[in-house]
Amino acid sequence: MDTPEQPDRDAAGRSDRNRRMVQDWENGATVTQIARRYRLSLSWTGVLLRRNGADLPRTGRGIKRELDTDEVIADYLDGATVRALADAHDVSYGKIYRLLQQHRVPMRPRGGKQ
């Protein structure tokens, strides 16, 4: 019985992609940039990079991001939306929302200006 060659090509393609991802990391690309380039989630990108020898910080789930809390709070109070802040800092909406909640920042109503 003949076996299709497609799985071998797929595996070779993934191997090549993973090698390029590690090269991107070593050349200074962020995990977020790599994830976007290869259309992968941040978590899966981190897993693949680690499995293929990239020296990434261990953080449990996902990739740990250090945010300038004072800057995020000031930008929110100046009118930036949670979504805009999340996009600007390459983090999730939830991370920004939790940061603001933890610092007892008065939240605007959701859904924009009423």
Side-chain angles (χ1 to χ4, degrees):
M1 180 172 157
D2 290 307
T3 58
E5 292 187 29
Q6 187 66 30
D8 290 338
R9 278 195 304 244
D10 288 346
R14 285 190 302 272
S15 178
D16 183 54
R17 176 204 61 200
N18 294 346
R19 180 186 51 72
R20 285 182 281 127
M21 288 171 59
V22 171
Q23 285 177 337
D24 290 347
W25 172 256
E26 291 171 349
N27 289 330
T30 66
V31 175
T32 301
Q33 291 167 333
I34 295 168
R36 285 183 181 156
R37 177 175 181 194
Y38 296 98
R39 297 186 175 143
L40 301 169
S41 71
L42 279 174
S43 296
W44 186 238
T45 301
V47 167
L48 290 175
L49 287 168
R50 284 186 189 97
R51 283 184 185 172
N52 288 279
D55 186 23
L56 269 73
R58 297 252 177 227
T59 61
R61 294 178 64 189
I63 303 300
K64 185 172 181 161
R65 300 247 186 257
E66 295 297 327
L67 296 174
D68 182 341
T69 301
D70 293 335
E71 177 186 344
V72 171
I73 292 170
D75 288 348
Y76 181 77
L77 293 174
D78 285 342
T81 64
V82 174
R83 173 64 51 214
L85 290 167
D87 290 345
H89 293 278
D90 288 325
V91 297
S92 70
Y93 178 98
K95 181 159 182 81
I96 297 294
Y97 187 83
R98 285 187 301 275
L99 180 145
L100 296 170
Q101 290 289 302
Q102 289 168 352
H103 289 85
R104 302 191 193 299
V105 175
M107 302 299 289
R108 296 186 298 268
R110 294 178 80 168
K113 296 180 180 177
Q114 303 293 325

